[in-house]
Amino acid sequence: MASLVPCPHCGPRPKEEFTIKGAVLQRPAPDASAEAWFDYVYLRDNPRGDYEEYWHHTAGCRRWLVVTRNTATHAISACEDAADKTKVKSA
């Protein structure tokens, strides 16, 4: 049986409908050092455990999602719309 991704818009969908685009990383400030930008663009950790990644639902709602996936088991523990993830919480 195919792995299912719990898309917040379409419900559980096969992982083949998605394209993984990369890790969710904190972007450096525009005036950050060249070393900070080099690290952001070229260097990646290879963690064991939960990891947030950008996924695109290319064969479905076409929304950008943030998927939390365990790198050892590939189990998905969370999936949310990337736009909701980046909204600033108001006090």
Side-chain angles (χ1 to χ4, degrees):
M1 180 175 184
S3 297
L4 296 177
V5 177
C7 177
H9 304 285
C10 305
R13 305 300 302 162
K15 69 175 173 28
E16 290 79 16
E17 289 188 4
F18 298 84
T19 304
I20 301 173
K21 292 296 186 176
V24 176
L25 302 173
Q26 182 67 39
R27 185 181 178 103
D31 59 348
S33 69
E35 182 179 328
W37 278 103
F38 180 87
D39 290 351
Y40 173 74
V41 173
Y42 296 108
L43 301 180
R44 295 291 178 265
D45 291 331
N46 189 15
R48 182 175 178 88
D50 287 346
Y51 197 59
E52 288 187 329
E53 300 168 316
Y54 285 115
W55 288 33
H56 186 242
H57 196 172
T58 50
C61 61
R62 302 192 57 78
R63 298 288 303 200
W64 283 98
L65 307 170
V66 173
V67 175
T68 304
R69 179 180 65 86
N70 186 294
T71 59
T73 65
H74 300 289
I76 294 173
S77 60
C79 182
E80 57 188 309
D81 193 299
D84 294 341
K85 179 95 174 158
T86 58
K87 286 182 184 173
V88 176
K89 307 281 188 219
S90 59

